[in-house]
C-alpha cells in the first residue's frame, strides 16, 4: 500500500481509496447543499454572476434576478439574460438592481473580491435590508 499526502489540502498521508471515499463524500454533500437551494438569484454581471446562473441551471436549480435597465453588463447589453429568467429592472445602473436582488433573496453569497465596488455595494444593501 502506498501512502501519499493530498496535493490539494496537504492532508496527512492516507491510502488512495481513503482519499477517494473522502472526495466522494464531499461531492455528495455539495450536491445535497446545491440542490437544497430553491432559487439562485443574480444580477447577471459577467464572470461569477453568469457562472453562478449557469452552474445553478446545470444543477437543476431555478434561476432568477434583476438586471439593470438596458440589460447592461460590463461587456455591454445582454438581453439574452432573460432566457435565464432574469427581468430588466425599471431603473438604470447597478445599484437599483442590486438592492432589488438583495431584497428578493433570503441570503447573499459573494464570490470574488469582496472589496470591489460592486461587492461593497452589495454588502451595504444586505446590511441596510437585514439580509445575511
Amino acid at each position: 500500500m502506498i501512502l501519499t499526502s493530498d496535493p490539494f489540502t496537504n492532508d496527512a498521508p492516507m491510502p488512495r481509496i481513503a482519499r477517494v471515499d473522502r472526495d466522494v463524500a464531499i461531492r455528495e454533500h455539495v450536491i445535497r447543499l446545491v440542490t437544497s437551494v430553491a432559487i439562485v438569484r443574480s444580477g447577471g454581471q459577467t464572470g461569477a454572476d453568469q457562472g453562478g446562473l449557469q452552474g445553478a441551471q446545470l444543477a437543476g436549480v431555478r434561476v432568477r434576478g434583476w438586471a439593470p435597465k438596458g440589460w447592461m453588463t460590463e461587456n455591454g447589453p445582454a438581453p439574452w439574460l432573460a432566457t435565464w429568467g432574469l427581468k430588466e429592472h425599471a431603473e438604470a445602473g447597478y445599484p437599483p438592481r442590486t438592492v432589488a436582488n438583495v431584497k428578493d433573496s433570503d441570503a447573499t453569497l459573494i464570490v470574488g473580491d469582496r472589496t470591489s465596488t460592486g461587492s461593497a455595494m452589495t454588502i451595504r444593501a444586505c446590511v441596510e435590508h437585514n439580509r445575511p
Side-chain angles (χ1 to χ4, degrees):
M1 173 183 325
I2 298 174
L3 298 177
T4 60
S5 61
D6 187 317
F8 299 106
T9 64
N10 248 355
D11 287 348
M14 65 173 74
R16 177 168 164 52
I17 190 67
R19 285 199 322 269
V20 168
D21 288 346
R22 180 207 54 207
D23 293 347
V24 166
I26 290 170
R27 180 178 176 269
E28 289 172 355
H29 177 74
V30 168
I31 288 171
R32 280 192 308 275
L33 181 65
V34 167
T35 56
S36 70
V37 172
I39 297 174
V40 168
R41 192 172 302 280
S42 170
Q45 190 50 263
T46 58
D49 279 17
Q50 291 179 14
L53 289 166
Q54 185 176 27
Q57 257 191 340
L58 290 172
V61 177
R62 290 183 300 157
V63 295
R64 300 285 185 273
W66 292 102
K69 184 177 180 92
W71 300 97
M72 288 308 297
T73 71
E74 60 191 8
N75 289 341
W80 54 266
L81 291 170
T83 64
W84 278 347
L86 274 67
K87 293 183 179 180
E88 183 181 18
H89 198 278
E91 295 181 53
Y94 300 124
R97 73 90 202 262
T98 298
V99 170
N101 283 324
V102 165
K103 289 169 73 173
D104 287 350
S105 300
D106 294 323
T108 297
L109 170 68
I110 294 177
V111 178
D113 180 6
R114 51 181 255 142
T115 64
S116 73
T117 305
S119 294
M121 177 179 41
T122 303
I123 292 168
R124 280 193 308 276
C126 289
V127 170
E128 288 173 16
H129 298 283
N130 198 28
R131 295 290 199 272

